[in-house]
Amino acid sequence: MTRAALLCPGRGSYTERQLRSLPADHAWVRRADELRAEYGLPALTELDTAERFSAALHLRPANVSLSIWLISMLDSASAFEQHDVVCVAGNSMGWYTALAVAGALSFDDGFRLVQEMSLLQEQHAGGGQVIYPLIDDQWRRDGALLDAVSAALASSDGQAFRSIDLGGYAVLAGSEAGIAHLLKHLPQVKLGANSYPFRLIQHGAYHTPLVQPVATAAREELARLVFREPTTTLIDGRGVRFTPWATDVAQLVDYTLGLQVVEPYDFTLSVRVALREQAPDHLVLPGPGNTLGGVCGQILIAEGWRGLRNKADFERAQASERPCVISMRR
């Protein structure tokens, strides 16, 4: 079996193409619907089988987070059967998924963590996130774009922050005033078919001090969750590893319900640590969409992994018999 690093997606991965993804007769799907009923929320199977996609309904944080989590859990179980999974990491909300995938939380407690954090984020909603590229069309770092981000943040009067380091992109967050400042002061850039900067739909000011109320409430409301040592190595958004043989569970809890909520999430660093310390043959992407495929390619290029130097190199590698990144679904 090939060695794999499993990388769980964040909230931005769900689209209308993911409808009808859930096997309604699977025990995990049935249990997830039972847990949703406890919260008085629509069943995930009901959302999954809707006649048409509704952004207001399907992308509501309390709904989309759980749909992504459950699809990712199902895919991850298959990945463990197909590969020797040497570590698990995730992007932003994907950290919560990684905890359950790696065995640090039970299925039920993993569900409750994602459900209650999404509800808390709705209750304390405010601000938002903006995404902006840091690379050229060959996925190499562009110093002028890096400088533009630094300048926009420095001139925001403390209203905008770094939120996620996402391969060739910066996810920035802030108050409404901070978001308006970023959209005004970041230079317009076109990369591929997309123009930047743009605001992410229904995203709050995650991974910044502005969501401290969420962290405070999570400490109280999620104290009953039972965290434990993972059965597979976990890598968090600081690049810190929690291994089956060396994990301080209290530190894992502190990070998940504290620092992870209010400090920047460095997905790039977590992947870099996975590559350097766990030596996977592939990066395997469970869950809906393929939003992390290009991001992982950009990280591999920055690392010079297997001699990759640009987007063309990565695309050639992906077309070979030994792809660098394996997406479990589109």
Side-chain angles (χ1 to χ4, degrees):
M1 298 176 75
T2 57
R3 295 168 60 84
L6 203 57
L7 307 175
C8 303
R11 265 190 46 211
S13 62
Y14 194 90
T15 70
E16 60 186 308
R17 295 176 64 184
Q18 274 67 64
L19 291 180
R20 295 164 185 82
S21 295
L22 297 175
D25 59 346
H26 194 286
W28 280 357
V29 177
R30 293 198 303 269
R31 180 56 181 157
D33 278 352
E34 291 172 359
L35 291 168
R36 289 280 287 184
E38 291 181 11
Y39 288 93
L41 293 167
L44 296 180
T45 50
E46 177 184 333
L47 297 171
D48 185 62
T49 56
E51 183 176 342
R52 62 178 58 87
F53 179 83
S54 164
L57 176 65
H58 288 92
L59 297 185
R60 178 192 168 190
N63 292 336
V64 71
S65 298
L66 272 298
S67 294
I68 293 169
W69 181 83
L70 184 54
I71 295 170
S72 299
M73 288 289 290
L74 293 166
D75 284 353
S76 295
S78 296
F80 271 86
E81 294 175 354
Q82 299 166 16
H83 303 276
D84 174 16
V85 177
V86 295
C87 62
V88 185
N91 172 41
S92 188
M93 189 211 91
W95 170 248
Y96 302 149
T97 309
L99 287 164
V101 168
L105 287 173
S106 68
F107 181 90
D108 282 17
D109 277 356
F111 178 100
R112 291 188 179 98
L113 172 64
V114 177
Q115 188 66 81
E116 298 200 22
M117 289 299 289
S118 66
L119 289 169
L120 286 172
Q121 287 163 354
E122 286 187 356
Q123 292 168 20
H124 300 280
Q129 286 180 321
V130 167
I131 189 166
Y132 195 71
L134 305 173
I135 50 175
D136 62 20
D137 58 6
Q138 276 299 307
W139 291 359
R140 294 167 300 206
R141 287 276 166 154
D142 186 320
L145 296 176
L146 289 162
D147 290 344
V149 167
S150 296
L153 291 173
S155 60
S156 72
D157 196 26
Q159 296 299 304
F161 306 83
R162 295 185 186 275
S163 177
I164 305 171
D165 191 318
L166 191 61
Y169 297 87
V171 178
L172 310 173
S175 63
E176 289 299 329
I179 295 300
H181 176 87
L182 292 171
L183 294 174
K184 178 179 179 180
H185 290 278
L186 286 169
Q188 291 289 317
V189 176
K190 187 159 188 179
L191 188 65
N194 296 320
S195 295
Y196 300 88
F198 68 79
R199 184 170 184 169
L200 298 173
I201 297 173
Q202 294 201 39
H203 282 231
Y206 309 140
H207 310 298
T208 76
L210 298 179
V211 291
Q212 180 60 54
V214 174
T216 301
R219 287 281 191 179
E220 297 179 4
E221 298 188 22
L222 295 172
R224 70 187 186 283
L225 299 186
V226 179
F227 286 76
R228 56 201 180 200
E229 295 89 351
T231 53
T232 303
T233 294
L234 274 165
I235 304 175
D236 71 17
R238 304 165 297 176
V240 173
R241 291 188 299 166
F242 295 91
T243 70
W245 50 89
T247 288
D248 183 322
V249 174
Q251 289 184 9
L252 185 60
V253 174
D254 287 344
Y255 173 72
T256 299
L257 302 182
L259 293 178
Q260 180 271 145
V261 180
V262 299
E263 293 190 354
Y265 197 97
D266 197 336
F267 177 71
T268 299
L269 180 57
S270 65
V271 177
R272 185 180 301 136
V273 170
L275 294 170
R276 295 182 181 185
E277 300 293 338
Q278 305 299 138
D281 298 307
H282 310 282
L283 303 180
V284 174
L285 310 180
N290 188 28
T291 54
L292 292 182
V295 167
C296 288
Q298 293 149 16
I299 296 169
L300 294 174
I301 289 165
E303 282 288 284
W305 201 60
R306 295 184 186 167
L308 300 180
R309 291 291 178 266
N310 53 46
K311 182 181 179 182
D313 287 348
F314 175 70
E315 290 176 339
R316 279 193 293 271
Q318 286 298 96
S320 72
E321 295 181 356
R322 192 186 176 203
C324 306
V325 180
I326 299 174
S327 296
M328 299 191 68
R329 64 176 76 202
R330 297 288 180 179

